[in-house]
Amino acid sequence: RMWKLLTLTIPKETLKAHSRLEHNTKPAFIHHREMLWKRCINAWRDVGVAGVLEELANAEEEEELNQGLGELSWVDSAKQLAVRWLKAGSHCTLALCRWVSSLHGSFFPHLSLPSEDMIAEFSQAVDWAGCSIRAFAWHPHTSKFAVALLDDSIRVYNAKSATVPILKHRLQRNVASLMWKPLCASILAVACHTCVLLWHLDPTSLSTRPSSGCAQVLSHPGHCPVTSLAWAPSGGLLLSASPADTAMLVWDVSTENCVQLQWFGGGGVTYLAWSPDGSKVLAATPSAVFRFVEKKVRSLIDLL
């Protein structure tokens, strides 16, 4: 019996890779100096603890608190003294963190790579940075597949339909992996730079450009770039991993909750795979270490 195979041609010239520069709205606004505590809150939201320490270490004396006053009150003097102590403590903490980071980077050199280079190093694609197709996934039960392209768009081809949905989202950058949910015809997981996107695609829809509202965002601080995904055979749980994070995340998609499977050593997690019965998980690391996780997975299944 001769199979009728789909021929797919995607010229690289029609695709344009995104720039490494991140889109930022800050240059569009006039600079306005905010109070130190407001700057710390913004730094916490944007970067985390490291951003707060940087803000405190670079803090200047809060002279604006005392504008119009000839003498400093004891409250203002106490504030300035507190800022000095916080500044000195932040300097010491940052220096210690940078020393530990450099020491850790000497054992795991990949941690010093830029995010895109790290993805290219551990992606399943042979030439992730330069090839037109960055990720590919057959659906396990139906005759369709998804293709992630150089411009970070995703196309879904179905042998029984001429409609080709094109998936685009503002967070869909540096796609490294695609994974269809088992026992379901409509959910596609996408490993992106800063998050995991779950596209909910209606198989009967004739739309070629599903809206971003069809995408569910799963993110966790410090868990990026995401390079590997693995659905449990039952489809109830989703695992995600990053070479820069030593913890695997176990996601309950229905509630968007996650639990960390944390361990020390290895320098991150680069590849995940479930056993066919869903009782074990294989986790590979950038070093010569790989692990089988069994008891923790069973307890998490009961917990989630």
Side-chain angles (χ1 to χ4, degrees), residues 26 32 35-36 38 52 83 86 118 120-121 134 151 184 186 288 304:
K26 288 184 178 180
H32 172 69
M35 302 294 291
L36 178 61
K38 288 185 179 181
V52 176
V83 169
L86 286 173
M118 191 182 300
E121 178 72 20
R134 288 185 162 181
D151 61 353
C184 178
S186 61
L304 295 175

Side-chain angles (χ1 to χ4, degrees), residues 150-169:
L150 181 64
D151 61 353
D152 288 327
S153 66
I154 297 174
R155 302 182 186 182
V156 180
Y157 294 87
N158 193 330
K160 299 179 181 179
S161 174
T163 303
V164 180
I166 299 177
L167 313 180
K168 292 186 178 182
H169 194 280

Side-chain angles (χ1 to χ4, degrees), residues 63-145:
E63 298 292 347
E64 65 271 16
L65 291 174
N66 312 303
Q67 289 180 354
L69 296 179
E71 296 181 357
L72 294 178
S73 67
W74 68 270
V75 176
D76 296 328
S77 299
K79 287 181 179 179
Q80 287 197 359
L81 182 60
V83 169
R84 293 193 188 100
W85 279 102
L86 286 173
K87 185 174 182 177
S90 298
H91 270 298
C92 296
T93 304
L94 278 175
L96 179 61
C97 290
R98 287 165 180 162
W99 179 79
V100 172
S101 178
S102 64
L103 184 64
H104 192 239
S106 64
F107 292 105
F108 305 107
H110 73 278
L111 295 177
S112 61
L113 294 175
S115 295
E116 288 192 6
D117 294 340
M118 191 182 300
I119 296 172
E121 178 72 20
F122 299 108
S123 170
Q124 297 300 302
V126 175
D127 181 20
W128 180 87
C131 63
S132 300
I133 297 177
R134 288 185 162 181
F136 181 93
W138 280 105
H139 195 284
H141 310 300
T142 61
S143 55
K144 65 180 179 181
F145 60 86

Side-chain angles (χ1 to χ4, degrees), residues 4-242:
K4 185 178 179 180
L5 301 178
L6 174 65
T7 301
L8 180 62
T9 303
I10 303 176
K12 186 176 180 180
E13 294 74 18
T14 63
L15 305 175
K16 183 178 179 180
H18 286 291
S19 171
R20 285 176 178 259
L21 296 177
E22 295 292 332
H23 293 287
N24 197 335
T25 58
K26 288 184 178 180
F29 296 91
I30 299 175
H31 175 71
H32 172 69
R33 182 172 178 78
E34 295 178 325
M35 302 294 291
L36 178 61
W37 65 272
K38 288 185 179 181
R39 300 201 301 271
C40 289
I41 291 176
N42 293 333
W44 170 268
R45 184 177 61 250
D46 295 339
V47 183
V49 177
V52 176
L53 292 175
E54 284 281 359
E55 202 62 61
L56 291 173
N58 297 326
E60 298 178 0
E61 299 297 335
E62 299 297 305
E63 298 292 347
E64 65 271 16
L65 291 174
N66 312 303
Q67 289 180 354
L69 296 179
E71 296 181 357
L72 294 178
S73 67
W74 68 270
V75 176
D76 296 328
S77 299
K79 287 181 179 179
Q80 287 197 359
L81 182 60
V83 169
R84 293 193 188 100
W85 279 102
L86 286 173
K87 185 174 182 177
S90 298
H91 270 298
C92 296
T93 304
L94 278 175
L96 179 61
C97 290
R98 287 165 180 162
W99 179 79
V100 172
S101 178
S102 64
L103 184 64
H104 192 239
S106 64
F107 292 105
F108 305 107
H110 73 278
L111 295 177
S112 61
L113 294 175
S115 295
E116 288 192 6
D117 294 340
M118 191 182 300
I119 296 172
E121 178 72 20
F122 299 108
S123 170
Q124 297 300 302
V126 175
D127 181 20
W128 180 87
C131 63
S132 300
I133 297 177
R134 288 185 162 181
F136 181 93
W138 280 105
H139 195 284
H141 310 300
T142 61
S143 55
K144 65 180 179 181
F145 60 86
V147 180
L149 304 178
L150 181 64
D151 61 353
D152 288 327
S153 66
I154 297 174
R155 302 182 186 182
V156 180
Y157 294 87
N158 193 330
K160 299 179 181 179
S161 174
T163 303
V164 180
I166 299 177
L167 313 180
K168 292 186 178 182
H169 194 280
R170 64 181 181 84
L171 297 178
Q172 191 169 283
R173 297 296 181 91
N174 298 334
V175 176
S177 179
L178 302 173
M179 189 70 63
W180 290 99
K181 181 179 179 179
L183 309 178
C184 178
S186 61
I187 297 182
L188 175 67
V190 183
C192 306
H193 186 188
T194 59
C195 65
V196 177
L197 288 179
L198 294 181
W199 283 97
H200 297 258
L201 306 173
D202 184 357
T204 62
S205 174
L206 298 179
S207 173
T208 58
R209 287 294 302 271
S211 70
S212 58
C214 298
Q216 183 180 359
V217 180
L218 305 178
S219 63
H220 190 273
H223 191 70
C224 65
V226 182
T227 58
S228 184
L229 299 171
W231 284 100
S234 64
L237 299 176
L238 174 66
L239 287 178
S240 64
S242 169

